[in-house]
Amino acid sequence: MSQDVQAILKNLGIENKNYGAFDGEWFGSGETISVTSPIDGKVIAEVVQATEADYERVLEKSQAAFQDWRMMPAPQRGEIIRQFGMEFRRHKDDLGALVTLEMGKILEEGKGEVQEMIDIFDFAVGLSRQLYGKTMHSERPLHRMYEQWHPLGVVGIISAFNFPVAVWSWNSAIAAVCGNTMIWKPSLKTPLTAIACQKIAHRVLQENNLPSAIMGMILGPDAQIGEKLIADPRIPLISATGSTRMGKRVAAVVGARLGKSLLELGGNNAIIVSDKADLDMSIRAILFGAVGTAGQRCTSTRRVIAHESVYETLKARLVETYAQVKIGNPLEAGTLMGPLIDKDAVDNMQSSIAKVAEQGGKVICGGEPLSGEEYPGGNYVRPCIAEVENHYNVVQEETFAPILYLMKYSSLEEAMGYHNNVPQGLSSAIFTKDMQEAENFLSHRGSDCGIANVNIGTSGAEIGGAFGGEKDTGGGREAGSDAWQAYMRRQTNTINWSPELPLAQGITFG
């Protein structure tokens, strides 16, 4: 391990052996796992996982912390969140590098993810003074009616490997400013960034004489810790980010106990390229959307639906552009695409590419695994472009890898049919200079996704808007706008300040 990497780990408090449970203290009594980097396959550090008994300890501390945290005025909670943002600013470079080292996205994206976390903390500070209710007119004389919002309790946060710090912050910043405490279950593929975040948050809470269990963590196997978390009636809300398969399991278990679930699941995102599009702009957006994070974003561009008059030109230019993508160590300057997260991801990509040919499609460039001295021990692949038809089973699925499916259309109605005819509904885009086409895409008969863009790609959403999607994407909303309401319970209040007791609807009783 290089001196630079050792310095980064030291700065963030990552030791050779770390513990996966946190309630103000670090502990764990489960099996030890080795955390390897997808860059070169080398071990970064070890983590001792938590057990079900460890879970109980974390939950009890989090419940106790909630009793006082909920009663702190929201603007004061916002001040604590402001300090989180300042502390994460001080560690942006180191934490961004750890994201890259552990997950494999290029350094520019790693730092960008940390900036996204800082941005959501800033957003939550302002939100702390905007948890608005409404006042309504009562039909009864001398009565006042209004609604207010209360914190839920302990919120469970399940995050995926591809955004190992941002997804936690989207949830934790908003949940905390709303008065909740939380237990975070990060991915076993990226535990070190989670531990680093917890240590940074712990310092802020400690400096303010607040219980660190406000931000608890439990790291362990899905079959034990994950199942216990989602089935626990003491956890009123589970916010889970991951695959559709995982989301359906969470929804079923949480729904069976009438809990709340906030789900951010798979995407099968498309860009429509009109004959009235700026092709230069379209290609730049497609490249970042399909190749950025090695295709491992839920908002990655999976499909391009191009007008038949520009299809061949667009295809040729994309193939030419893909040939120039520098693949390699994501910590090095100039690299545009790093490795996939693990060998399973590489195998899944190869399986999907094989299905393209079986189902009648054609791979026109890339797709092969990369090895040799230039890619020692890592999970590197060449990004792939394939010509397909939208109805192929492989196109209907989400493969978490840099595979881009190309298809052509003749009318906007046909394009929208292809666009919406997939199970997922997260992010979408159209490139056109035609106002009617753009407005059609954004209308009731247009994109059925939670995010719809014009002349912007599918990837890289801002935190100010609510983030999430429809259909198999789960229907949840995180981050900005009024997404905070998911982390609170609504209460309607009526106050009678008259000497009488009139009933609603004019009912006379007795």
Side-chain angles (χ1 to χ4, degrees):
M1 193 178 295
S2 73
Q3 271 190 320
D4 287 346
V5 170
Q6 287 178 331
I8 290 166
L9 297 177
K10 183 178 179 181
N11 292 342
L12 295 172
I14 302 300
E15 302 172 2
N16 291 332
K17 188 172 189 177
N18 306 274
Y19 290 89
F22 181 73
D23 65 354
E25 297 178 350
W26 290 99
F27 63 100
S29 53
E31 292 184 6
T32 300
I33 59 171
S34 294
V35 183
T36 60
S37 174
I39 297 173
D40 55 14
K42 293 180 180 178
V43 173
I44 307 170
E46 292 183 333
V47 177
V48 181
Q49 297 181 88
T51 62
E52 293 187 33
D54 298 331
Y55 169 87
E56 286 296 328
R57 174 177 156 180
V58 172
L59 178 60
E60 287 174 11
K61 287 284 189 70
S62 190
Q63 285 181 306
F66 173 65
Q67 303 306 312
D68 293 328
W69 180 246
R70 65 180 173 176
M71 298 309 296
M72 178 183 286
Q76 291 184 27
R77 295 194 296 261
E79 166 57 21
I80 304 304
I81 298 302
R82 185 192 68 80
Q83 293 177 39
F84 280 167
M86 296 306 296
E87 192 66 16
F88 277 101
R89 277 179 172 85
R90 284 189 275 273
H91 294 278
K92 177 180 174 178
D93 288 347
D94 285 336
L95 193 53
L98 181 57
V99 169
T100 294
L101 180 68
E102 189 175 38
M103 185 268 155
K105 63 179 64 175
I106 63 172
L107 189 56
E108 190 71 17
E109 289 189 79
K111 291 180 180 179
E113 181 177 348
V114 179
Q115 184 61 50
E116 188 171 355
M117 179 163 57
I118 293 165
D119 291 344
I120 199 70
F121 284 131
D122 287 352
F123 178 87
V125 175
L127 181 63
S128 70
R129 296 180 183 270
Q130 300 179 73
L131 303 176
Y132 299 134
K134 293 179 180 178
T135 299
M136 291 78 76
H137 287 277
S138 173
E139 67 183 66
R140 292 170 282 192
L142 306 183
H143 283 57
R144 181 164 68 90
M145 186 163 61
Y146 69 98
E147 70 178 21
Q148 60 180 332
W149 296 83
H150 296 301
L152 288 169
V154 181
V155 171
I157 301 170
I158 300 172
S159 63
F161 74 85
N162 59 326
F163 279 86
V165 300
V167 169
W168 168 71
S169 66
W170 293 352
N171 287 277
S172 63
I174 307 299
V177 87
C178 289
N180 304 291
T181 57
M182 59 228 64
I183 296 177
W184 180 17
K185 183 190 176 299
S187 169
L188 287 173
K189 296 179 181 180
T190 51
L192 300 181
T193 44
I195 291 169
C197 286
Q198 288 293 115
K199 291 192 172 186
I200 292 169
H202 170 58
R203 285 197 296 274
V204 172
L205 292 168
Q206 203 171 36
E207 288 167 2
N208 286 274
N209 297 312
L210 291 167
S212 291
I214 289 168
M215 300 277 186
M217 192 180 89
I218 193 85
L219 183 81
D222 292 342
Q224 286 81 45
I225 301 304
E227 288 292 326
K228 191 168 181 65
L229 180 68
I230 65 176
D232 196 331
R234 298 167 293 180
I235 309 287
L237 170 67
I238 296 290
S239 177
T241 302
S243 67
T244 298
R245 178 187 60 79
M246 179 274 286
K248 288 180 177 179
R249 174 64 182 169
V250 171
V253 174
V254 176
R257 62 176 175 85
L258 299 183
K260 295 173 68 176
S261 57
L262 194 168
L263 302 175
E264 296 290 355
L265 311 175
N268 196 345
N269 317 295
I271 293 178
I272 295 174
V273 180
S274 163
D275 57 332
K276 304 172 187 70
D278 181 323
L279 284 190
D280 290 337
M281 187 184 293
S282 304
I283 288 166
R284 290 201 303 273
I286 293 166
L287 184 67
F288 176 69
V291 173
T293 325
Q296 296 172 114
R297 291 182 178 225
C298 54
T299 55
S300 289
T301 304
R302 309 284 176 205
R303 298 175 295 144
V304 168
I305 305 164
H307 191 271
E308 57 191 8
S309 66
V310 299
Y311 180 85
E312 292 299 333
T313 300
L314 181 71
K315 179 176 74 172
R317 291 187 61 182
L318 281 172
V319 171
E320 181 183 357
T321 303
Y322 266 49
Q324 298 170 34
V325 172
K326 182 181 177 183
I327 306 163
N329 188 331
L331 289 167
E332 294 179 358
T335 300
L336 289 183
M337 192 178 108
L340 295 179
I341 186 66
D342 55 25
K343 188 178 182 301
D344 285 346
V346 177
D347 292 342
N348 288 338
M349 180 177 177
Q350 299 311 300
S351 175
S352 292
I353 289 171
K355 290 176 184 176
V356 168
E358 291 168 9
Q359 294 169 22
K362 178 184 178 183
V363 172
I364 56 176
C365 76
E368 65 273 18
L370 299 173
S371 58
E373 292 183 7
E374 198 175 350
Y375 311 99
N379 307 303
Y380 296 91
V381 295
R382 203 172 296 284
C384 174
I385 302 175
E387 291 183 292
V388 298
E389 293 182 19
N390 198 63
H391 63 84
Y392 293 170
N393 289 338
V394 69
V395 178
Q396 295 285 308
E397 302 165 353
E398 179 193 40
T399 302
F400 226 51
I403 303 176
L404 182 66
Y405 298 122
L406 296 186
M407 59 196 81
K408 65 179 70 170
Y409 76 93
S410 57
S411 69
L412 186 61
E413 184 179 9
E414 182 183 22
M416 288 310 313
Y418 293 150
H419 181 280
N420 291 346
N421 191 20
V422 291
Q424 311 82 359
L426 179 53
S427 188
S428 59
I430 187 171
F431 276 80
T432 180
K433 295 178 181 179
D434 186 283
M435 184 185 73
Q436 289 186 332
E437 285 189 330
E439 291 294 339
N440 258 294
F441 183 74
L442 300 177
S443 74
H444 301 323
R445 65 186 179 191
S447 168
D448 64 358
C449 294
I451 299 167
N453 299 327
V454 175
N455 296 327
I456 300 172
T458 62
S459 214
E462 298 180 30
I463 59 94
F467 179 90
E470 302 300 324
K471 303 189 295 188
D472 276 5
T473 302
R477 292 297 185 275
E478 295 172 333
S481 187
D482 62 356
W484 61 271
Q485 294 180 359
Y487 303 90
M488 304 195 83
R489 57 183 176 88
R490 186 196 303 249
Q491 184 181 80
T492 300
N493 308 107
T494 307
I495 301 168
N496 177 7
W497 53 283
S498 79
E500 308 296 333
L501 188 63
L503 300 177
Q505 292 85 48
I507 294 172
T508 300
F509 186 76

